[in-house]
Amino acid sequence: RSRIESGLAFDVDLGTVQTLAGADDSLKATLADLQSGMGGIASLSTLARDFSAVAGDVLAAAKPPASNRMEKVWRRLSSMVSVRRTGDVSGDDVAARIARTEMHLNAGDLAAALNEVKDLTGAAAEAVGPWLQKAQVHFKTMTALDDLTRQAVQRLAQPAGAVK
Protein backbone atom coordinates (compact mmCIF):
# COMPACT_ATOMS: atom_id res chain seq x y z
CA ARG A 1 0.00 0.00 0.00
CA SER A 2 2.69 2.50 0.92
CA ARG A 3 4.58 1.90 -2.34
CA ILE A 4 1.40 2.41 -4.37
CA GLU A 5 0.37 5.55 -2.49
CA SER A 6 3.89 6.95 -2.92
CA GLY A 7 3.73 6.46 -6.69
CA LEU A 8 6.47 3.83 -6.68
CA ALA A 9 6.53 0.70 -8.81
CA PHE A 10 5.09 -2.30 -7.00
CA ASP A 11 5.67 -5.13 -9.45
CA VAL A 12 7.68 -7.19 -6.92
CA ASP A 13 4.99 -6.72 -4.27
CA LEU A 14 2.26 -7.68 -6.72
CA GLY A 15 4.23 -10.77 -7.73
CA THR A 16 4.35 -11.84 -4.10
CA VAL A 17 0.61 -11.36 -3.69
CA GLN A 18 -0.06 -13.27 -6.91
CA THR A 19 2.08 -16.16 -5.64
CA LEU A 20 0.23 -16.19 -2.33
CA ALA A 21 -3.14 -16.05 -4.12
CA GLY A 22 -2.25 -19.04 -6.26
CA ALA A 23 -5.18 -20.18 -8.35
CA ASP A 24 -7.79 -18.37 -6.24
CA ASP A 25 -10.32 -17.29 -8.87
CA SER A 26 -11.99 -14.80 -6.53
CA LEU A 27 -8.85 -12.64 -6.61
CA LYS A 28 -8.12 -12.74 -10.35
CA ALA A 29 -10.13 -9.63 -11.29
CA THR A 30 -8.72 -7.61 -8.39
CA LEU A 31 -5.15 -8.59 -9.19
CA ALA A 32 -5.71 -7.79 -12.88
CA ASP A 33 -6.92 -4.32 -11.92
CA LEU A 34 -3.82 -3.82 -9.78
CA GLN A 35 -1.62 -4.65 -12.76
CA SER A 36 -2.84 -1.54 -14.62
CA GLY A 37 -0.82 0.65 -12.27
CA MET A 38 2.05 -1.74 -11.64
CA GLY A 39 4.75 0.64 -12.90
CA GLY A 40 3.63 3.27 -10.41
CA ILE A 41 0.69 5.64 -10.33
CA ALA A 42 0.44 9.37 -9.81
CA SER A 43 -0.39 10.28 -6.22
CA LEU A 44 -3.60 12.12 -5.48
CA SER A 45 -1.65 15.30 -4.67
CA THR A 46 0.19 15.02 -8.00
CA LEU A 47 -3.11 14.56 -9.81
CA ALA A 48 -4.53 17.66 -8.10
CA ARG A 49 -1.45 19.71 -8.99
CA ASP A 50 -1.44 18.45 -12.57
CA PHE A 51 -5.13 19.20 -12.97
CA SER A 52 -4.63 22.79 -11.85
CA ALA A 53 -1.96 23.11 -14.53
CA VAL A 54 -4.19 21.66 -17.28
CA ALA A 55 -7.45 23.39 -16.26
CA GLY A 56 -6.66 26.57 -18.19
CA ASP A 57 -5.92 24.57 -21.33
CA VAL A 58 -9.23 22.72 -20.98
CA LEU A 59 -11.13 25.99 -20.62
CA ALA A 60 -9.32 27.52 -23.61
CA ALA A 61 -10.03 24.44 -25.71
CA ALA A 62 -13.73 24.64 -24.87
CA LYS A 63 -14.08 28.16 -26.27
CA PRO A 64 -15.38 28.45 -29.81
CA PRO A 65 -12.92 29.85 -32.36
CA ALA A 66 -12.58 33.62 -32.49
CA SER A 67 -14.97 35.06 -35.05
CA ASN A 68 -13.12 38.28 -35.88
CA ARG A 69 -9.77 39.98 -35.57
CA MET A 70 -10.68 41.98 -32.45
CA GLU A 71 -11.80 38.84 -30.66
CA LYS A 72 -8.51 37.15 -31.60
CA VAL A 73 -6.55 40.07 -30.16
CA TRP A 74 -8.67 40.06 -27.00
CA ARG A 75 -8.17 36.31 -26.51
CA ARG A 76 -4.44 36.66 -26.97
CA LEU A 77 -4.29 39.43 -24.38
CA SER A 78 -6.56 37.61 -21.94
CA SER A 79 -4.47 34.43 -22.24
CA MET A 80 -1.73 36.28 -20.36
CA VAL A 81 -3.93 36.44 -17.27
CA SER A 82 -5.73 33.38 -16.00
CA VAL A 83 -8.95 33.94 -14.11
CA ARG A 84 -11.39 31.12 -13.51
CA ARG A 85 -14.16 30.23 -11.13
CA THR A 86 -13.48 27.95 -8.19
CA GLY A 87 -15.50 26.00 -5.65
CA ASP A 88 -18.96 24.47 -5.89
CA VAL A 89 -20.07 26.30 -9.03
CA SER A 90 -23.46 25.31 -10.40
CA GLY A 91 -24.02 24.53 -14.05
CA ASP A 92 -23.05 22.01 -16.69
CA ASP A 93 -20.68 24.16 -18.72
CA VAL A 94 -16.97 23.33 -18.89
CA ALA A 95 -15.97 26.15 -16.51
CA ALA A 96 -18.35 24.90 -13.81
CA ARG A 97 -17.17 21.31 -14.24
CA ILE A 98 -13.52 22.39 -14.01
CA ALA A 99 -14.22 24.37 -10.83
CA ARG A 100 -16.00 21.44 -9.19
CA THR A 101 -13.29 19.02 -10.31
CA GLU A 102 -10.65 21.10 -8.55
CA MET A 103 -12.84 21.36 -5.46
CA HIS A 104 -13.26 17.56 -5.34
CA LEU A 105 -9.55 16.96 -5.88
CA ASN A 106 -8.65 19.35 -3.08
CA ALA A 107 -11.09 17.45 -0.83
CA GLY A 108 -9.46 14.13 -1.81
CA ASP A 109 -12.53 12.83 -3.66
CA LEU A 110 -11.13 11.48 -6.93
CA ALA A 111 -14.34 9.59 -7.80
CA ALA A 112 -16.37 12.83 -7.78
CA ALA A 113 -13.62 14.64 -9.71
CA LEU A 114 -13.65 11.95 -12.39
CA ASN A 115 -17.43 12.18 -12.67
CA GLU A 116 -17.13 15.89 -13.45
CA VAL A 117 -14.72 15.54 -16.38
CA LYS A 118 -15.41 12.10 -17.85
CA ASP A 119 -18.23 13.38 -20.08
CA LEU A 120 -16.44 16.39 -21.55
CA THR A 121 -16.52 16.38 -25.32
CA GLY A 122 -14.60 17.81 -28.25
CA ALA A 123 -11.46 19.85 -27.72
CA ALA A 124 -12.04 20.05 -23.95
CA ALA A 125 -12.04 16.23 -23.75
CA GLU A 126 -8.84 16.09 -25.79
CA ALA A 127 -7.17 18.64 -23.52
CA VAL A 128 -8.08 16.77 -20.33
CA GLY A 129 -7.47 13.32 -21.87
CA PRO A 130 -3.90 12.65 -20.68
CA TRP A 131 -4.75 13.77 -17.13
CA LEU A 132 -7.96 11.75 -17.16
CA GLN A 133 -6.11 8.62 -18.18
CA LYS A 134 -3.63 8.96 -15.27
CA ALA A 135 -6.48 9.68 -12.86
CA GLN A 136 -8.45 6.64 -14.01
CA VAL A 137 -5.42 4.37 -13.55
CA HIS A 138 -4.98 5.79 -10.02
CA PHE A 139 -8.65 5.23 -9.22
CA LYS A 140 -8.72 1.69 -10.65
CA THR A 141 -5.53 0.73 -8.81
CA MET A 142 -6.62 2.18 -5.47
CA THR A 143 -10.06 0.58 -5.77
CA ALA A 144 -8.41 -2.79 -6.44
CA LEU A 145 -6.06 -2.30 -3.50
CA ASP A 146 -8.99 -1.49 -1.22
CA ASP A 147 -10.80 -4.60 -2.46
CA LEU A 148 -7.72 -6.77 -1.91
CA THR A 149 -7.33 -5.38 1.60
CA ARG A 150 -11.00 -6.01 2.38
CA GLN A 151 -10.76 -9.60 1.15
CA ALA A 152 -7.58 -10.22 3.16
CA VAL A 153 -9.17 -8.91 6.35
CA GLN A 154 -12.28 -11.01 5.77
CA ARG A 155 -10.17 -14.13 5.29
CA LEU A 156 -8.13 -13.42 8.41
CA ALA A 157 -11.34 -13.04 10.39
CA GLN A 158 -12.62 -16.47 9.33
CA PRO A 159 -11.96 -19.49 11.56
CA ALA A 160 -8.94 -21.50 10.37
CA GLY A 161 -10.99 -24.40 9.01
CA ALA A 162 -13.36 -22.09 7.08
CA VAL A 163 -10.75 -20.67 4.70
CA LYS A 164 -11.39 -21.81 1.14
Side-chain angles (χ1 to χ4, degrees):
R1 180 175 287 277
S2 65
R3 293 182 65 75
I4 292 172
E5 290 173 345
S6 299
L8 300 172
F10 56 93
D11 51 333
V12 173
D13 304 277
L14 182 59
T16 301
V17 172
Q18 288 171 322
T19 300
L20 291 171
D24 188 338
D25 289 338
S26 67
L27 294 175
K28 282 188 178 181
T30 300
L31 294 174
D33 285 348
L34 274 172
Q35 285 181 330
S36 66
M38 194 166 48
I41 62 171
S43 68
L44 190 55
S45 61
T46 298
L47 288 170
R49 184 190 67 233
D50 290 354
F51 187 80
S52 289
V54 79
D57 295 337
V58 176
L59 290 171
K63 290 181 182 178
S67 60
N68 59 48
R69 184 180 172 121
M70 189 61 177
E71 191 173 332
K72 287 179 186 178
V73 170
W74 176 250
R75 282 197 183 173
R76 183 170 294 233
L77 289 172
S78 64
S79 71
M80 294 179 200
V81 177
S82 177
V83 178
R84 54 189 159 87
R85 299 183 290 176
T86 60
D88 193 8
V89 177
S90 63
D92 251 353
D93 62 318
V94 174
R97 287 179 176 275
I98 295 302
R100 289 192 304 267
T101 300
E102 282 188 304
M103 177 191 70
H104 294 308
L105 286 170
N106 291 332
D109 189 350
L110 183 58
L114 288 170
N115 281 332
E116 292 292 347
V117 295
K118 70 179 181 172
D119 294 328
L120 292 177
T121 60
E126 289 178 32
V128 80
W131 178 89
L132 182 60
Q133 185 176 7
K134 286 190 286 186
Q136 287 171 327
V137 168
H138 176 100
F139 184 77
K140 183 177 183 179
T141 303
M142 294 307 294
T143 300
L145 181 61
D146 290 343
D147 186 46
L148 184 64
T149 301
R150 180 188 52 74
Q151 289 186 49
V153 169
Q154 285 176 344
R155 289 171 189 225
L156 288 172
Q158 292 176 352
V163 177
K164 295 179 183 178

